Amino acid sequence: MARPATATINFDAILHNYRLAKSVTPDQRALAIIKANAYGHGAVEVANAIADEVDGFGVACIEEATELREAGITKPILLLEGFFSADELKYISEQSLWCAIHSLEQIDAIANADFTKPINIWLKMDSGMHRLGVQPADFQQAFDKLKALPQVADIVLMSHLSSADEPELSVTAEQIRVFDTATKALDAEISLANSAGTLAHTDARRDWLRPGIMLYGATPFAQSQALADQLKPAMTLSSEVIAVRDLTPGEAVGYSCTWRCERPTRVGTVAMGYADGYPRHAKNGTPVIVDGQPSKIIGRVSMDMLTVDLTDIPDANVGSYVELWGENLAASEVATYCDTIPYTLFTGITRRVHKKYI
Ligand SMILES: Cc1ncc(COP(=O)(O)O)c(C=O)c1O
């Protein structure tokens, strides 16, 4: 039998989540963000499964876009970080990729580039995240310059929100105010909202949404939120118990003896470790589900295995099904025990984990 570590990807859940994003502003369009191998879910597989319904895709770089074009994806694909070298522009034009532009230097590079088919540009403003984007004071000039270039087709105005997942803060409203002030004289479509913006910030829902994490069914919020509560998890990470032993009080489990039995304990060893992408720093007590029953990790996660407490699940044995996160256990809950976020859990899944698409 093959090693049972498996990530089962549910396309219906991804479609449901995309539709939920679109439902907040039925007249607007939404790019499905499938960078980083669709957040670990498989970019080509996910793109093929939802291509008929989505308005386009967003990826981080030309390599990710090329993979999709080579797989036959003809829908618009936006390069969210634009080009890294002017050499890429010819291919971007040939493949009709859409291209974010985040600096004045990139505009000069386009002006000096020689390609035939004009490119659709998403001009990005740094409205307060201070990572990428043209400064608000330079934005009008950047827009006018792009507008005048024969190499440029349509222009969408975009910005990225730093704190939309914390709706109680005023940061998002301030970013939107900065953006709107700097763009009020410009006639172009707008894109502001990532998943958290889409779900929680009415004012961020402009012409184009850019949902990422929500497509995969994970909430961007720390607290329950009415729309986010309707998301369906797209990835179930599972494996099986491969060994069982009974220990007595005082005996330790795993590397460095970080967990010791306080009572007679039945320990199950599960074929899932940090080389599969399960976080090594998952704390003692991190939830898992064994044969439908709640259990928890005891002892340190090792490279290929982790250990769980089966004491209260007497019927569990070798071969028992273990859900690490997914349909019955939210990745965001697991993430809190690992001092991380679902994004890193999903993107961390390694190729050794068998992927099953349903
Ligand atoms: C520019 C941009 N738009 C949209 C997204 C999607 O964000 P999220 O996954 O939080 O929805 C990202 C992701 O980091 C991004 O960088």
Side-chain angles (χ1 to χ4, degrees):
M1 192 194 85
R3 189 165 177 271
T6 304
T8 304
I9 312 297
N10 184 327
F11 293 137
D12 284 345
I14 298 177
L15 263 182
H16 165 89
N17 298 331
Y18 179 81
R19 287 175 188 152
L20 185 71
K22 293 266 290 199
S23 72
V24 302
T25 54
D27 296 334
Q28 322 304 22
R29 283 147 294 163
L31 292 184
I33 304 301
I34 58 166
K35 62 183 176 158
N37 199 27
Y39 292 42
H41 292 64
V44 167
E45 290 82 359
V46 169
N48 273 321
I50 64 176
D52 285 348
E53 193 158 328
V54 302
D55 300 311
F57 296 101
V59 298
C61 57
I62 203 156
E63 291 80 2
E64 293 180 346
T66 304
E67 187 188 22
L68 297 176
R69 283 286 185 257
E70 285 179 355
I73 298 295
T74 55
K75 282 273 165 90
I77 302 173
L78 172 65
L79 301 171
L80 289 161
E81 290 169 46
F83 57 92
F84 294 83
S85 141
D87 303 348
E88 296 169 38
L89 283 166
K90 194 159 173 287
Y91 182 82
I92 289 172
S93 158
E94 281 165 9
Q95 294 296 322
S96 303
L97 302 177
W98 297 358
C99 187
I101 290 295
H102 57 77
S103 70
L104 301 177
E105 293 73 28
Q106 287 185 318
I107 299 177
D108 291 338
I110 293 179
N112 295 325
D114 188 18
F115 52 84
T116 41
K117 198 162 45 152
I119 296 175
N120 278 354
I121 297 296
W122 285 42
L123 179 61
K124 183 165 185 168
M125 184 194 296
D126 177 3
S127 60
M129 175 132 173
H130 303 322
R131 187 177 65 172
L132 276 188
V134 174
Q135 291 310 304
D138 299 330
F139 205 69
Q140 166 116 35
Q141 178 208 348
F143 179 81
D144 292 343
K145 225 167 158 182
L146 279 171
K147 210 63 192 157
L149 291 180
Q151 292 97 329
V152 173
D154 292 338
I155 305 174
V156 173
L157 312 179
M158 74 178 287
S159 195
H160 196 50
L161 303 172
S162 68
S163 309
D165 57 333
E166 295 173 275
E168 65 284 5
L169 303 183
S170 58
V171 179
T172 301
E174 176 57 13
Q175 277 194 263
I176 294 174
R177 191 195 62 74
V178 168
F179 181 88
D180 284 344
T181 305
T183 57
K184 63 174 179 288
L186 308 184
D187 180 22
E189 292 187 333
I190 289 173
S191 175
L192 295 177
N194 54 2
S195 296
T198 299
L199 293 165
H201 298 270
T202 325
D203 205 19
R205 298 168 185 162
R206 305 292 174 93
D207 304 284
W208 289 90
L209 308 170
R210 304 190 311 270
I213 193 71
M214 68 175 289
L215 298 180
Y216 310 104
T219 176
F221 307 112
Q223 272 87 34
S224 161
Q225 198 261 3
L227 278 170
D229 291 348
Q230 297 175 42
L231 293 169
K232 291 189 179 164
M235 178 194 288
T236 296
L237 183 67
S238 65
S239 191
E240 288 179 9
V241 173
I242 58 168
V244 173
R245 71 209 59 244
D246 289 300
L247 301 184
T248 52
E251 287 190 287
V253 177
Y255 283 120
S256 306
C257 305
T258 63
W259 192 88
R260 270 181 203 284
C261 307
E262 286 175 358
R263 58 172 182 166
T265 302
R266 201 154 164 265
V267 179
T269 303
V270 179
M272 177 66 64
Y274 63 76
D276 299 299
Y278 194 92
R280 178 176 178 275
H281 46 281
K283 296 185 177 76
N284 281 313
T286 302
V288 299
I289 296 182
V290 180
D291 285 342
Q293 307 289 318
S295 176
K296 58 183 195 252
I297 289 182
I298 52 177
R300 203 163 257 175
V301 173
S302 54
M303 184 181 282
D304 313 310
M305 288 165 272
L306 54 79
T307 33
V308 297
D309 189 347
L310 300 181
T311 315
D312 298 327
I313 316 174
D315 291 339
N317 216 323
V318 170
S320 284
Y321 177 82
V322 181
E323 180 177 324
L324 286 312
W325 64 69
E327 248 180 287
N328 304 294
L329 176 59
S332 49
E333 185 184 345
V334 174
T336 59
Y337 284 84
C338 307
D339 295 328
T340 191
I341 49 177
Y343 299 69
T344 66
L345 296 185
F346 295 154
T347 56
I349 295 300
T350 64
R351 68 190 181 130
R352 186 168 81 177
V353 175
H354 175 62
K355 283 227 180 70
K356 193 167 132 196
Y357 291 95
I358 55 172

